Amino acid sequence: MSILRVLFFCSLFLMPIMGVAQDTTCTLVIRGRVVDEHDQGPLSFAEVYIPALNKGAVADQQGRFVLSGLCAGRYLLRIAHLGCETVERIVQLDSDVDLRLELEHHAQELAEFEVARSRPDEHVGLPNEGVNKEAMEASGRSLVEMLSTINGVTVLQSGPTIGKPVIHGLSGNRVLILNQGIRQEDQQWGTEHAPGLDPFSSDRLTVVKGASSVQYGSDAMGGVVIIEPVELPRSEGVRGEVRGLGVANGKGGGGNVQLEGGVHGLRGFGWRLQGSARKLGDASAPGYVLSNTGMNEAATSAAIGYRDHRWNTTIFYSYFGRELGILRASHIGNLTDLQTAITNAQPWYVGEFTYAIDAPRQNSAHHLLKAEVGYAVGDRDCLVLTYARQADDRQEFDIRRAGRSAIPATDLSLITQSGDLVYKHWIGPHLHGKIGANGMEQENLNVPGTGIRPLIPNFRKRTGALFVLEHLPINDELELEAGVRSEAARIDVALYNAQDSLVRPVHRFTNHAFSLGANWSVTDSSRIRFNIGSAFRPPHVSELYSEGLHHGAAALEMGDDRLGSERSVKATVDLDGAWFGGRLRTNITLYTDRIDGYIYLRPNGAQLTIRGAFPVFDYIATDAFLYGSDLTVEWRSTDRFKWRSRASLVRGRDQVLNEWLFQMPADRMEHALVFSTTTHGKWRAIQISLTGQYVFRQSRVPNGVDYTDPPAAYDLFGLQASATRSAGKHELRMGVQLSNLLDRAYRDYMDRFRYYADARGMDAMLWLRYSFGRTEGDHRPLNE
Amino acid sequence: MKTPITLTCLVLLVTTLLAGCKKKDDPVAPTPPAVNEEEVITTLVITFTDQENSSEVFELRYADVDGVGGDPPVATGDALPNNRAFHVALQVLNESASPAIDLTGEISAEGAEHQFFFQGVGAYPVISYADTDSNGRPIGLTNIGFTTASGTGTLTVILRHMPDKNGTDVATGDITNAGGETDLVATIPITVQ
């Protein structure tokens, strides 16, 4: 018993999503709360288990649990809690249900075991939302599009191929991306740099919509995007899946193959191999081809791990490579060219559809190697050491003379090494948490041979940090969390100044962060999450030392080497409620975010050059204040029909100049009618949904910063359908997704290429997944 | 209690690993390569040669020697005689390099991807194309020009890279439908006497 306990405890630490087994067929959800039959108090960390599916979940501190990805049907549910008699209940599952499960329990036996099963909330008080595998499959072509299905998350685009996530109005270096538990370190400073991540490498995405610098370090200002690692199998037998994807707009597609298994005779070993590729040609707007917007991607990953009662070791490697074209018509010479582009209804260059990718284009490659060792110390504590190395290569090709288009205009190599040591400790039932140290070293190198002055200089960055984050469960209904972090960064820069002599400035930044969070279960069906936390971000070298022409923007951008760190305090309140027996569910998130030293580009006159006139933009700091809310209402009218409405608002103010901030997402709302049915012939888990999205015109813009007025409001309609069927012992799941059904011509305020062309028109996507060799006993019953 | 011993061992192991991994190299950033930006255009030189008398040569020059940013470009040049016909030749230089690089050959070699456009205000030489690219369309490096009225005005020369030479009236020198990317804009004051 003790061995199992430790194993479980440690594994939870490494695999935050374990317990919700990743079955891949269906989409129904059982939610609920486990309470004591006598005093109706929550039974923390109770296990809810479906033996027939080998699938289980562990309730949280407040007795709440979620079992997702279930097919419709009749299930035996086994509920276990140490100190209680195990009880079983039959549940007829036709649609999502909410359960209140009562157990008879003997309090005196509880204290010790409660700890051993503990799966503390990783983000106490912070609104966080996930996208599971089914939703990922059905919601788009890129990882960033999948993220944008979360309320409060939008996309900052540079044409149809390049997108960056925006959380509560902040993006780029103000959003932290954690891939496999490692900070994604690529060239995130430019709006035309999309994160290099394979949507097939994970089966769950989580977005934390709050300041989380305490736990994750700098840049976690708007929020954190977590690409969750997939747990390695531990039992013998090979299983896997093949996925295919066809896309109409762009006439392309892709595929993914994944194999995983255990090792015969070596219990505890597990492995996984995965490879994917995608190819798309030019996308189309209504009425014309968006020339040179094709894309090729290839990715692979491999993982191997060993796990026993004390050790949990994983080695993970992934590669992601991408080549993409940038809209031909967006390559312009000067301000006059830009103004001509804005007044023309169509892009000046529209060619025939092609798969060929020409300059301007980008090539990027991202490698990640991660080694992690977890060791259970005693019965309750756990020590985890993680080392990661990332190599990111980026080449950008411009349209140049005399065959130089084949020579990259920008050629950057960014190598990052990081080490983390975390000690997870148990002091008492009302105080447990983790304490950790991080170190990082990063080197940015301009690869010689471009024949162009580098946009950003060479630099070497080192950071070191210490943090402590403690959980303080007060009682059955209230759980608190508090944490602090200190982080020091040193940046050594090497560049040629305006007089062409080599200079080596050094910058040092020290920052501190705090966080206070609370989860409060007001009633069984309502919960409040509250968090106030700070975040920081030292200025990026591009903000300190940019000096020159930004081609796509037709602007001269000037850095300022005196800029200091951005520091923010963000407060969030998240209210979750279920009403009328769970038929109505509501969620509202409210937030305010104060950022001191918010760095942005401010216009500062124009400069005449031999290429014509260019506006000059200076990087300056101001004090910003952001606030807003995300709202979701879900009404289940019958077992088959569900209505869902969502709305998201963001406001951003420049406190110094008393005006609006540039490039804040416009207000938006989305409505969906979801029809789901259990079986039809050989098909099951059938779901059809019709969605309508309305994006308002952004009327809150600063004066004189933009080249043109914000684009008009638009509405988009979409239709999704998916279903599953068995194919012998295997399983086939497929779906279609139609987006921009009415082929609307529109431009989005958050698309930098709105100056040049309309956004993508109507699109249809067909996807399927064939899973084979899934064996029983994959997920060990927790009460074994 | 064996836990503290195990923990101590582990911490020692970790410390050793971390120390072992640490690179003992130069803490400063790697030296960037010095870049000689060969393809930068800094200077446009327009030479007017009298068609009747080739010893009569007039020159206009538009130069931004420190490149984009820094000081604004400077226009200089001779006054042009009125009622004359000229051979008009354009020369494009990179004078930020030393010695200066003549980029005219690069443009001529990629003639199909380049085109000069001429616009004037007031008194200025009217310029028409006298060269063709591989598709039989004008480039604008070699031209003929006429002065027909005396006075002062300006001549604007625009070099477009990758224009749509098939666009309406583009081949006759109208920039409206040319598209492409502006590589050079020179607005030069003109005196015709």
Side-chain angles (χ1 to χ4, degrees):
Chain A
M1 184 56 104
S2 161
I3 286 172
L4 268 177
R5 218 191 307 153
V6 173
L7 182 153
F8 187 67
F9 181 58
C10 234
S11 70
L12 287 175
F13 185 55
L14 292 174
M15 302 288 168
I17 53 160
M18 188 192 152
V20 183
Q22 299 294 305
D23 198 354
T24 51
T25 13
C26 311
T27 58
L28 296 178
V29 178
I30 300 179
R31 288 190 188 84
R33 195 167 189 210
V34 188
V35 297
D36 186 337
E37 193 182 274
H38 300 299
D39 63 4
Q40 300 291 311
L43 292 177
S44 308
F45 315 122
E47 296 145 11
V48 182
Y49 181 65
I50 303 175
L53 300 178
N54 251 329
K55 187 163 188 154
V58 182
D60 65 12
Q61 190 97 29
Q62 291 153 31
R64 292 175 185 283
F65 70 92
V66 180
L67 273 164
S68 59
L70 299 171
C71 308
R74 199 174 161 82
Y75 294 106
L76 176 79
L77 214 62
R78 186 180 290 155
I79 307 106
H81 191 269
L82 287 149
C84 302
E85 298 291 322
T86 298
V87 299
E88 293 182 343
R89 256 182 77 171
I90 304 282
V91 176
Q92 177 64 41
L93 189 62
D94 297 316
S95 57
D96 297 357
V97 294
D98 267 285
L99 299 174
R100 184 184 170 86
L101 301 166
E102 298 188 353
L103 294 191
E104 183 176 11
H105 118 274
H106 309 287
Q108 66 278 10
E109 295 175 38
L110 186 68
E112 187 199 350
F113 295 107
E114 184 179 46
V115 186
R117 308 284 172 140
S118 131
R119 190 164 73 97
D121 189 337
E122 289 276 311
H123 309 106
V124 172
L126 289 168
N128 61 86
E129 209 177 312
V131 185
N132 66 15
K133 188 169 186 171
E134 291 75 32
M136 282 173 74
E137 279 174 336
S139 65
R141 44 176 91 195
S142 73
L143 198 113
V144 175
E145 277 181 29
M146 293 168 189
L147 289 170
S148 68
T149 60
I150 293 175
N151 208 11
V153 180
T154 46
V155 185
L156 177 61
Q157 278 184 289
S158 295
T161 38
I162 303 171
K164 294 162 79 80
V166 181
I167 303 175
H168 286 172
L170 300 177
S171 66
N173 282 322
R174 296 187 185 106
V175 167
L176 178 63
I177 298 176
L178 278 187
N179 181 22
Q180 308 290 331
I182 304 296
R183 293 168 60 95
Q184 174 85 358
E185 292 289 347
D186 48 13
Q187 307 281 358
Q188 277 295 309
W189 50 275
T191 47
E192 65 278 30
H193 301 160
L197 295 164
D198 179 12
F200 293 120
S201 71
S202 171
D203 54 16
R204 189 173 174 84
L205 311 172
T206 301
V207 171
V208 180
K209 298 184 273 186
S212 332
S213 273
V214 168
Q215 197 165 175
Y216 302 116
S218 68
D219 303 0
M221 305 187 86
V224 186
V225 172
I226 301 171
I227 292 115
E228 308 266 14
V230 188
E231 192 191 351
L232 281 173
R234 279 168 295 149
S235 56
E236 289 173 24
V238 175
R239 75 222 74 163
E241 60 178 46
V242 177
R243 292 204 248 179
L245 176 75
V247 178
N249 194 334
K251 297 177 192 157
N256 180 55
V257 180
Q258 182 176 309
L259 288 172
E260 61 178 33
V263 179
H264 181 70
L266 286 171
R267 184 160 177 79
F269 276 101
W271 58 270
R272 177 180 295 109
L273 280 174
Q274 176 254 333
S276 71
R278 293 194 295 166
K279 185 179 187 71
L280 286 168
D282 289 341
S284 290
Y288 52 84
V289 173
L290 297 165
S291 285
N292 204 41
T293 56
M295 179 176 86
N296 299 317
E297 283 180 358
T300 183
S301 71
I304 182 163
Y306 171 76
R307 198 154 146 192
D308 66 12
H309 69 289
R310 289 238 172 257
W311 295 92
N312 189 343
T313 309
T314 333
I315 296 174
F316 175 89
Y317 167 79
S318 70
Y319 162 81
F320 178 82
R322 171 158 54 201
E323 179 187 21
L324 61 83
I326 295 171
L327 183 71
R328 176 75 179 79
S330 75
H331 197 254
I332 50 164
N334 60 20
L335 192 54
T336 317
D337 292 0
L338 178 59
Q339 278 156 352
T340 309
I342 288 168
T343 45
N344 288 348
Q346 273 206 4
W348 68 267
Y349 184 88
V350 175
E352 292 290 304
F353 170 86
T354 173
Y355 290 100
I357 295 172
D358 257 322
R361 64 191 169 96
Q362 301 177 354
N363 276 354
S364 59
H366 192 87
H367 303 262
L368 165 66
L369 177 69
K370 176 181 111 168
E372 187 165 75
V373 182
Y375 179 77
V377 182
D379 279 356
R380 291 167 174 159
D381 293 1
C382 195
L383 190 63
V384 181
L385 175 67
T386 311
Y387 167 79
R389 186 176 197 278
Q390 294 176 76
D392 188 87
D393 297 316
R394 163 172 287 272
Q395 296 184 317
E396 297 179 9
F397 299 84
D398 254 331
I399 298 173
R400 297 166 77 179
R401 273 195 317 276
R404 292 189 194 95
S405 292
I407 302 170
T410 299
D411 194 347
L412 294 168
S413 156
L414 183 73
I415 292 178
T416 311
Q417 297 190 79
S418 60
D420 298 73
L421 181 64
V422 177
Y423 186 68
K424 189 171 188 186
H425 54 272
W426 168 266
I427 296 165
H430 295 292
L431 182 63
H432 47 96
K434 51 188 175 186
I435 180 162
N438 315 128
M440 186 204 79
E441 192 203 42
Q442 186 170 68
E443 183 182 283
N444 184 65
L445 185 74
N446 281 282
V447 179
T450 60
I452 286 181
R453 264 179 94 102
L455 268 175
I456 63 166
N458 285 357
F459 66 85
R460 187 184 296 264
K461 182 177 175 182
R462 287 159 182 220
T463 63
L466 291 172
F467 76 94
V468 56
L469 188 63
E470 296 295 325
H471 287 264
L472 305 135
I474 303 293
N475 58 31
D476 294 340
E477 271 69 48
L478 185 63
E479 178 185 4
L480 302 181
E481 187 191 73
V484 288
R485 168 184 282 252
S486 286
E487 187 167 307
R490 175 190 155 114
I491 308 176
D492 288 90
V493 183
L495 77 159
Y496 293 97
N497 63 11
Q499 289 73 42
D500 261 336
S501 49
L502 182 65
V503 290
R504 295 185 174 279
V506 178
H507 296 264
R508 287 185 181 81
F509 304 96
T510 306
N511 285 293
H512 311 284
F514 75 93
S515 141
L516 290 170
N519 287 353
W520 180 30
S521 287
V522 185
T523 68
D524 281 348
S525 57
S526 61
R527 169 156 73 173
I528 297 175
R529 299 166 74 88
F530 171 76
N531 185 285
I532 181 160
S534 67
F536 55 83
R537 181 180 77 87
H540 190 268
V541 168
S542 65
E543 292 159 326
L544 298 169
Y545 290 103
S546 279
E547 193 189 1
L549 193 58
H550 189 155
H551 267 274
L556 285 165
E557 295 178 354
M558 302 295 177
D560 182 351
D561 60 4
R562 296 159 303 173
L563 288 170
S565 293
E566 288 185 350
R567 293 191 174 118
S568 77
V569 177
K570 183 170 180 178
T572 56
V573 184
D574 189 50
L575 308 166
D576 214 7
W579 323 89
F580 306 112
R583 281 189 175 277
L584 177 69
R585 302 190 68 85
T586 55
N587 176 271
I588 181 164
T589 303
L590 302 166
Y591 59 92
T592 64
D593 194 359
R594 155 99 196 187
I595 306 173
D596 287 346
Y598 180 89
I599 300 167
Y600 73 111
L601 283 167
R602 174 145 202 93
N604 179 20
Q607 197 163 38
L608 186 67
T609 76
I610 193 156
R611 301 186 58 174
F614 292 94
V616 179
F617 285 85
D618 293 339
Y619 278 103
I620 68 157
T622 185
D623 293 334
F625 186 69
L626 284 83
Y627 57 99
S629 79
D630 304 326
L631 180 72
T632 305
V633 177
E634 219 174 82
W635 172 252
R636 187 156 48 84
S637 61
T638 70
D639 287 341
R640 291 189 163 182
F641 284 97
K642 191 162 77 177
W643 178 270
R644 188 183 63 226
S645 290
R646 307 191 313 182
S648 173
L649 313 173
V650 194
R651 302 282 178 271
R653 294 291 295 178
D654 181 326
Q655 300 280 79
V656 176
L657 294 165
N658 198 25
E659 64 178 16
W660 298 106
L661 289 175
F662 180 54
Q663 221 167 45
M664 286 289 140
D667 297 344
R668 62 198 57 218
M669 58 182 180
E670 189 192 277
H671 306 285
L673 179 65
V674 184
F675 169 81
S676 48
T677 184
T678 50
T679 51
H680 184 84
K682 286 183 172 174
W683 296 93
R684 56 194 156 85
I686 300 157
Q687 185 167 321
I688 301 168
S689 60
L690 178 68
T691 56
Q693 189 191 31
Y694 186 81
V695 176
F696 291 82
R697 179 172 178 273
Q698 180 56 286
S699 53
R700 298 169 184 86
V701 291
N703 289 325
V705 172
D706 205 352
Y707 302 104
T708 181
D709 291 335
Y714 63 88
D715 52 0
L716 298 177
F717 290 91
L719 186 68
Q720 294 96 33
S722 58
T724 306
R725 65 177 294 171
S726 296
K729 279 180 145 183
H730 313 313
E731 183 186 279
L732 178 68
R733 180 168 165 78
M734 58 189 296
V736 289
Q737 187 200 5
L738 302 171
S739 46
N740 194 358
L741 267 180
L742 304 178
D743 203 23
R744 275 273 195 263
Y746 72 99
R747 299 185 184 201
D748 188 89
Y749 178 64
M750 297 295 281
D751 186 349
R752 276 188 54 247
F753 284 16
R754 67 187 151 98
Y755 304 128
Y756 313 109
D758 288 341
R760 202 163 55 204
M762 190 171 80
D763 192 12
M765 199 173 88
L766 173 73
W767 55 267
L768 54 87
R769 178 176 81 212
Y770 184 74
S771 311
F772 52 91
R774 198 156 282 277
T775 53
E776 286 294 307
D778 196 12
H779 188 81
R780 173 188 296 276
L782 300 174
N783 54 350
E784 174 178 290
Chain B
M1 281 298 281
K2 61 175 183 178
T3 306
I5 302 166
T6 328
L7 178 60
T8 317
C9 289
L10 207 70
V11 168
L12 275 174
L13 174 74
V14 163
T15 325
T16 322
L17 274 174
L18 279 180
C21 291
K22 202 161 191 167
K23 288 204 297 186
K24 291 175 182 62
D25 57 358
D26 191 4
V28 300
T31 305
V35 173
N36 187 10
E37 294 195 288
E38 291 178 355
E39 64 192 301
V40 169
I41 296 173
T42 64
T43 310
L44 171 72
V45 181
I46 312 174
T47 312
F48 291 81
T49 308
D50 194 309
Q51 286 191 3
E52 321 255 294
N53 178 2
S54 61
S55 65
E56 272 206 77
V57 178
F58 306 90
E59 193 180 273
L60 301 176
R61 174 179 278 264
Y62 190 82
D64 186 8
V65 178
D66 63 356
V68 169
D71 298 323
V74 177
T76 49
D78 304 322
L80 299 174
N82 196 9
N83 292 318
R84 299 275 186 97
F86 302 99
H87 295 291
V88 183
L90 271 59
Q91 200 184 15
V92 176
L93 306 173
N94 174 6
E95 292 185 312
S96 68
S98 143
I101 303 168
D102 190 340
L103 299 169
T104 317
E106 279 186 6
I107 291 167
S108 163
E110 288 183 349
E113 294 173 5
H114 288 92
Q115 188 171 345
F116 288 91
F117 296 88
F118 304 93
Q119 297 162 352
V121 175
Y124 64 95
V126 176
I127 294 172
S128 46
Y129 300 120
D131 56 3
T132 54
D133 64 19
S134 53
N135 302 319
R137 299 186 182 278
I139 305 169
L141 284 169
T142 307
N143 311 280
I144 51 173
F146 300 94
T147 47
T148 53
S150 63
T152 58
T154 58
L155 175 70
T156 300
V157 182
I158 300 170
L159 171 61
R160 281 280 168 93
H161 189 195
M162 307 286 273
D164 178 9
K165 288 196 177 188
N166 296 318
T168 311
D169 295 335
V170 173
T172 57
D174 183 351
I175 200 168
T176 313
N177 299 307
E181 173 204 12
T182 304
D183 270 2
L184 180 155
V185 183
T187 300
I188 307 169
I190 299 288
T191 307
V192 181
Q193 56 197 21

